[in-house]
């Protein structure tokens, strides 16, 4: 084996090892393809009569289907990577490591990794005795997944600053804020 091949192989092993170490909780199994697009790994970390904590590792571009939690609140925390989250009738959101989203009971939604990033998420969900944990609806369409991120209440400011008349310097500043 050539020296170059050994270096490339070593770099590949290091990148695979680094990716595995970035996952906080090991994935116990692959979530069913019936309710997910792409590879979604899942581990139930704890479960009691009234609450469940679950870890999800979404590979790039993978996501769950539209679903809701009957009478139950769910808190989604992004532990690593970038994710999409969308509630029915609202724009899709881009989430980053450290973002937290609380989904109220009975709100139809989906979430998953962006096309360019794996995403690790943890959910804490209420469990309501006598109710299903999640009611699965339809798969997210390719169009829904590909829709661009839009922001409500966006503020755009443009400022133009002129320097001294003799050197005709102009500076334009564009500021964009999303709330």
């Amino acid at each position: 084996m050539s020296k170059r091949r050994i270096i490339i192989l070593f770099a590949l092993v290091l990148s695979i090892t680094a990716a595995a170490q970035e996952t906080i909780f090991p994935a116990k199994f692959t979530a069913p393809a019936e309710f997910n697009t792409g590879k979604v790994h899942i581990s139930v970390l704890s479960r009691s009569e009234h609450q469940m904590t679950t870890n999800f590792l979404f590979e790039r571009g993978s996501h769950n289907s539209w679903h809701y939690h009957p009478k139950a609140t769910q808190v989604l925390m992004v532990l690593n990577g970038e994710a999409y989250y969308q509630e029915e009738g609202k724009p899709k959101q881009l989430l980053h490591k450290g973002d937290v989203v609380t989904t109220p009971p009975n709100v139809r939604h989906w979430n998953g990794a962006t096309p360019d990033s794996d995403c690790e998420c943890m959910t804490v969900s209420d469990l309501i005795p006598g109710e299903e944990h999640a009611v699965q609806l339809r798969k997210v369409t390719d169009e829904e997944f590909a829709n661009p991120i839009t922001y409500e209440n966006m503020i755009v400011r443009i400022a133009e600053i002129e320097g001294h008349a003799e050197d005709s310097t102009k500076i334009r500043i564009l500021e964009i804020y999303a709330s």
Side-chain angles (χ1 to χ4, degrees):
M1 192 178 290
S2 74
K3 194 175 196 176
R4 183 169 185 251
R5 281 189 179 180
I6 291 172
I7 291 170
I8 290 171
L9 182 59
F10 182 68
L12 180 61
V13 168
L14 279 179
S15 67
I16 291 169
T17 303
Q21 290 174 346
E22 289 178 21
T23 302
I24 296 172
F25 303 102
K28 299 284 186 193
F29 62 93
T30 302
E34 179 183 1
F35 306 125
N36 297 279
T37 299
K39 289 244 181 174
V40 180
H41 308 278
I42 184 171
S43 293
V44 175
L45 303 176
S46 69
R47 185 182 180 118
S48 70
E49 185 180 344
H50 298 286
Q51 194 173 68
M52 181 167 61
T53 303
T54 310
N55 189 69
F56 293 89
L57 179 60
F58 293 94
E59 292 185 12
R60 291 171 191 234
S62 65
H63 51 278
N64 53 31
S65 296
W66 284 98
H67 64 283
Y68 67 94
H69 305 279
K71 302 179 186 174
T73 298
Q74 182 179 67
V75 178
L76 171 84
M77 297 163 274
V78 180
L79 304 177
N80 207 3
E82 291 185 331
Y84 288 146
Y85 172 85
Q86 185 174 13
E87 292 180 2
E88 187 175 56
K90 294 185 179 179
K92 180 173 65 176
Q93 298 176 45
L94 177 62
L95 305 176
H96 300 91
K97 181 178 180 177
D99 287 343
V100 177
V101 175
T102 301
T103 306
N106 304 312
V107 171
R108 295 168 184 234
H109 65 282
W110 68 271
N111 56 277
T114 67
D116 301 319
S117 175
D118 291 346
C119 180
E120 185 173 9
C121 299
M122 181 185 296
T123 61
V124 179
S125 305
D126 294 334
L127 294 177
I128 308 300
E131 294 288 342
E132 292 182 63
H133 166 63
V135 174
Q136 300 294 330
L137 303 169
R138 63 177 176 78
K139 292 236 181 186
V140 173
T141 66
D142 291 343
E143 182 183 352
E144 288 169 323
F145 185 77
N147 277 344
I149 301 294
T150 58
Y151 298 96
E152 295 176 9
N153 304 322
M154 183 179 286
I155 299 169
V156 178
R157 293 182 185 159
I158 300 174
E160 188 171 293
I161 303 169
E162 288 190 40
H164 296 289
E166 57 271 0
D167 67 12
S168 69
T169 301
K170 287 186 180 182
I171 298 172
R172 289 188 182 92
I173 301 170
L174 174 64
E175 298 175 303
I176 301 175
Y177 304 92
S179 56

